[in-house]
Amino acid sequence: MTAPSPLFPRRQPQPDPNDTRVLNWAQNATLAPERAVIAPENEAQLQSAIAACQGRVRMMGSRMSPGRMLAISQPEDVLLDLSRLRGVLAVDDESVTFAGGTPLYEVFEVLTSMDRMLHASPGVIASQTLAGAISTGTHGQGMQQSTLGDEAIRIRLVDAAGQVHEIDRQHPWFAAVQLGLGTLGAISAVTLRTRPTTLYTCFKSAVSDATLEHDLPEWNLQWTFSKAWWFVEENKVHVWNAREANEAERQVWRDNHGDLVTLDETSDEMNTAVDKTLQHMRNDTRIVDENGKPFRTVTRFKDFSDVIGDVYQVFCRGIATPQINIEIGVPMARVPAVISRIREWHATTRPHMHYPIILRATGPSSAWLSPSWQQPTCFFGFVVYYAEDGSLSEEGLAFLREVEKLLASEGGKPHWGKYFDASLYDWPTLYPQLSAFKAVRQALDPQGKFLNTFMAEVVS
């Protein structure tokens, strides 16, 4: 096991209950002392807290981002907890407005109760706050949609002086606020466009990876939603391809009382590949519990079945477990070449992998700092799990370092809410609108109140 590093820190598997520090969700970084946390009850209190702060302000959200994005460091700094700003604020025929601190699972539950859904496919983890998910570029899968921020039609923001701004799609700052990394202000409310609920049938399969360069773009063109897991060592791909359910399939779902339908026929085609992956994970993590969360993220691919359900039932299926997760977006036009490079690199180096490579594509985003700005993009995801004692496998981390270098050299852009090595990226080249973003930042926060050390390096 490797020594801790600033990029891949060791976690505390059993924090001291008397410790008064606030840690991030993975428990691998200190965000602030408890006394620095302010949890306003309403927008007016939020305005007052920001205006009165003499130091810097960061938002904690659900604390799922790497600590460097959220942490404060000086005694006068403030960490804002917006969890009390939650729930529905307004409804009309085409949209619903939620308070910024509303967890995504609550957003999805409310929309489902209204027989509505978002145009965007959800991310896999629904415990994020709405404001945090928008601020970091959370996305699902499917070329006909993009990030969660692209479903916003109006965002309410409190600036560094405590003033409220209503920023809609006609506003010149909207593309900055759609993905602001928490550096523009505190999002107090978001109005999301909605559509009537649609049911989907998701067909799951296991195929050879021999033609993945061709298959992946085709799946994403042919299907409404497509997601794949590439087991490189086993030359296998597990694929979920979904289309709108037909009337017979919808009736099966209704007969099941509106719960996810798992069809009777199962396939064991992924079982051997899964077992090999699990063995790597056991050797590295030394986790004894075979039913622990890290193992369940992989064992769910065994004996798989097609399903029928709404988009949240089908795709919002993530199992949150402490990990180092890197996700790099690559323009779809470059995807075949990148797949070939990964295949060749893997054959040469035989890297240690805890998990298959996750492949999710999205359509273009209008957010200036989105990795998918103005172009279809495929996100390549890589995971290394923590061991029982909070350490990380050196072989696993070596794999992450090298594969990120490979994707960065292909023009890849990292998902902002996950782990990445900032030294690999030339931000002004990757994001042509970065100077425009900085101008919006200067207007909303001229003194840099919403920055911390890491964010200042990225956007100042």
Side-chain angles (χ1 to χ4, degrees):
M1 296 295 171
T2 185
S5 73
L7 183 58
F8 304 130
R10 186 186 185 97
R11 74 181 296 262
Q12 300 180 41
Q14 296 178 325
D16 182 349
N18 298 314
D19 191 343
T20 60
R21 297 174 301 164
V22 177
L23 305 179
N24 66 338
W25 178 85
Q27 297 177 343
N28 64 16
T30 298
L31 305 184
E34 284 184 354
R35 59 174 172 75
V37 177
I38 296 178
E41 299 276 355
N42 51 50
E43 187 182 69
Q45 289 185 14
L46 173 61
Q47 292 177 262
S48 297
I50 293 174
C53 179
Q54 297 301 303
R56 286 181 164 176
V57 177
R58 292 298 289 163
M59 272 61 70
M60 64 189 291
S62 57
R63 297 179 292 137
M64 298 193 82
S65 292
R68 63 186 180 178
M69 292 195 65
L70 310 175
I72 59 175
S73 57
Q74 301 301 317
E76 63 273 20
D77 293 348
V78 165
L79 188 62
L80 281 175
D81 175 2
L82 302 186
S83 61
R84 297 176 184 175
L85 276 68
R86 64 192 294 172
V88 176
L89 302 179
V91 178
D92 64 27
D93 290 342
E94 297 181 347
S95 68
V96 180
T97 301
F98 293 91
T102 308
L104 290 185
Y105 66 80
E106 191 172 310
V107 171
F108 302 154
E109 288 171 357
V110 167
L111 293 178
T112 299
S113 72
M114 296 177 174
D115 200 24
R116 299 191 193 185
M117 61 180 284
L118 300 179
H119 292 253
S121 177
V124 297
I125 304 296
S127 56
Q128 302 173 75
T129 65
L130 176 58
I134 285 176
S135 297
T136 53
T138 292
H139 65 91
Q141 48 275 308
M143 298 285 279
Q144 299 171 33
Q145 56 88 64
S146 193
T147 72
L148 190 60
D150 287 283
E151 301 314 306
I153 57 177
R154 187 166 57 254
I155 298 173
R156 191 169 170 92
L157 188 78
V158 180
D159 71 13
Q163 300 299 308
V164 174
H165 300 261
E166 286 270 4
I167 301 175
D168 62 17
R169 287 186 167 271
Q170 286 67 52
H171 197 290
W173 294 350
F174 188 75
V177 177
Q178 276 180 293
L179 200 169
L181 302 173
T183 68
L184 304 178
I187 294 176
S188 59
V190 181
T191 302
L192 296 165
R193 63 178 181 146
T194 63
R195 52 176 285 194
T197 293
T198 301
L199 299 180
Y200 298 92
T201 300
C202 181
F203 300 92
K204 302 180 183 181
S205 61
V207 300
S208 166
D209 71 353
T211 55
L212 184 59
E213 290 90 335
H214 171 268
D215 294 339
L216 185 67
E218 283 299 308
W219 292 329
N220 279 281
L221 288 174
Q222 292 174 8
W223 297 88
T224 306
F225 302 118
S226 183
K227 184 175 183 178
W229 293 262
W230 183 13
F231 292 75
V232 188
E233 189 168 331
E234 287 74 42
N235 306 118
K236 283 275 192 179
V237 184
H238 183 47
V239 190
W240 292 11
N241 287 326
R243 55 144 171 83
E244 188 171 334
N246 59 37
E247 177 52 34
E249 292 159 347
R250 291 193 292 270
Q251 187 58 52
V252 171
W253 180 84
R254 289 191 288 266
D255 291 343
N256 197 45
H257 311 291
D259 293 328
L260 180 73
V261 175
T262 301
L263 301 184
D264 291 337
E265 186 175 347
T266 63
S267 170
D268 62 1
E269 288 185 70
M270 290 305 304
N271 290 12
T272 300
V274 167
D275 286 338
K276 289 181 179 179
T277 301
L278 289 171
Q279 189 58 53
H280 280 314
M281 193 186 302
R282 290 189 193 98
N283 292 342
D284 282 356
T285 64
R286 295 169 173 75
I287 296 172
V288 177
D289 182 7
E290 294 287 328
N291 294 312
K293 287 183 178 180
F295 293 118
R296 283 191 281 129
T297 64
V298 182
T299 55
R300 61 181 173 167
F301 298 133
K302 298 182 77 170
D303 300 314
F304 60 84
S305 304
D306 298 342
V307 296
I308 304 168
D310 66 35
V311 69
Y312 308 115
Q313 293 171 330
V314 173
F315 285 105
C316 201
R317 312 289 291 177
I319 301 172
T321 185
Q323 60 188 246
I324 298 296
N325 185 342
I326 287 176
E327 188 176 37
I328 311 296
V330 175
M332 282 300 292
R334 295 289 306 151
V335 165
V338 170
I339 289 173
S340 295
R341 280 199 64 187
I342 291 175
R343 190 197 312 281
E344 293 165 4
W345 169 74
H346 186 277
T348 301
T349 63
R350 310 302 295 182
H352 222 51
M353 296 176 65
H354 283 188
Y355 199 77
I357 299 173
I358 309 161
L359 302 168
R360 293 190 294 165
T362 74
S365 171
S366 59
W368 286 339
L369 293 191
S370 170
S372 57
W373 180 65
Q374 290 193 343
Q375 60 185 341
T377 296
C378 183
F379 289 84
F380 290 70
F382 311 91
V383 172
V384 167
Y385 291 110
Y386 279 95
E388 196 96 308
D389 64 356
S391 62
L392 291 158
S393 157
E394 178 55 48
E395 292 89 348
L397 295 186
F399 158 68
L400 290 183
R401 293 187 190 99
E402 292 307 311
V403 78
E404 185 180 8
K405 289 178 185 176
L406 185 157
L407 291 175
S409 72
E410 292 284 346
K413 305 176 189 177
H415 187 304
W416 293 106
K418 300 185 180 181
Y419 294 83
F420 58 89
D421 181 353
S423 70
L424 298 176
Y425 304 98
D426 179 356
W427 304 123
T429 298
L430 291 175
Y431 292 100
Q433 295 298 315
L434 183 59
S435 60
F437 181 89
K438 290 179 180 180
V440 175
R441 252 207 45 73
Q442 183 66 23
L444 289 168
D445 181 19
Q447 303 305 316
K449 182 178 282 191
F450 290 109
L451 299 176
N452 62 9
T453 302
F454 177 71
M455 296 315 307
E457 294 173 357
V458 174
V459 299
S460 289

